[in-house]
Amino acid sequence: MICPCCSGKTYEACCQPFHKGDKATPTAEALMRSRFSAFAIPNADYLWETTLPSKRKFHDKGELQEWTEINTWTRLEIIRTPALNQVEFKAYYTDQDGKLQIHHEFSYFQPVKGRWYYVSGDFFED
């Protein structure tokens, strides 16, 4: 299977080792890609685990799982990575009503003890 993160690699050679905990993501962009794949698979546990622990209280794991399941995540476009801890991206998906949607976000990440975590994001209206 081709990895949902649009890297062009197979899932086994790309995001699966991160999802299984066999490897830590080496960069914020790699974490962003693996998180998109977790939306597509779906894998809310991974999304929860890769959110900065101090920020998890602002998210609900059940809602994350539902969001991953009711939408069909089709494509990730990395717009830019202006700093080591920042990634602007567009995530394309089809919602539960069959309508194409674009989630455009400028995300912030933080490394802690050799692991990258999602911190927060600024959202754009496209």
Side-chain angles (χ1 to χ4, degrees):
M1 160 174 130
I2 296 297
C3 195
C5 80
C6 300
S7 66
K9 300 175 186 175
T10 64
Y11 174 63
E12 293 77 17
C14 194
C15 290
Q16 186 181 48
F18 306 134
H19 290 172
K20 291 174 101 180
D22 296 340
K23 289 174 53 179
T25 54
T27 64
E29 182 178 330
L31 179 61
M32 178 61 250
R33 288 182 176 281
S34 69
R35 285 175 59 88
F36 177 85
S37 290
F39 276 100
I41 296 294
N43 183 346
D45 288 336
Y46 182 78
L47 295 168
W48 180 261
E49 291 165 9
T50 58
T51 299
L52 190 68
S54 64
K55 299 290 185 172
R56 290 178 187 160
K57 62 187 172 198
F58 301 112
H59 303 276
D60 179 276
K61 195 189 294 189
E63 288 177 7
L64 275 173
Q65 185 66 34
E66 181 181 351
W67 182 244
T68 64
E69 291 175 358
I70 65 172
N71 299 298
T72 302
W73 301 87
T74 55
R75 183 166 67 97
L76 176 65
E77 178 185 355
I78 302 295
I79 307 296
R80 63 190 177 112
T81 54
L84 290 176
N85 68 330
Q86 301 171 344
V87 179
E88 181 180 355
F89 69 92
K90 289 184 180 181
Y92 297 80
Y93 65 97
T94 303
D95 68 17
Q96 62 188 356
D97 298 322
K99 185 177 176 189
L100 178 63
Q101 302 287 341
I102 301 172
H103 176 83
H104 186 180
E105 182 175 330
F106 189 93
S107 294
Y108 302 91
F109 299 88
Q110 181 178 332
V112 177
K113 296 181 182 175
R115 299 189 73 88
W116 282 96
Y117 292 91
Y118 172 78
V119 178
S120 65
D122 298 324
F123 308 103
F124 299 95
E125 294 287 330
D126 282 348

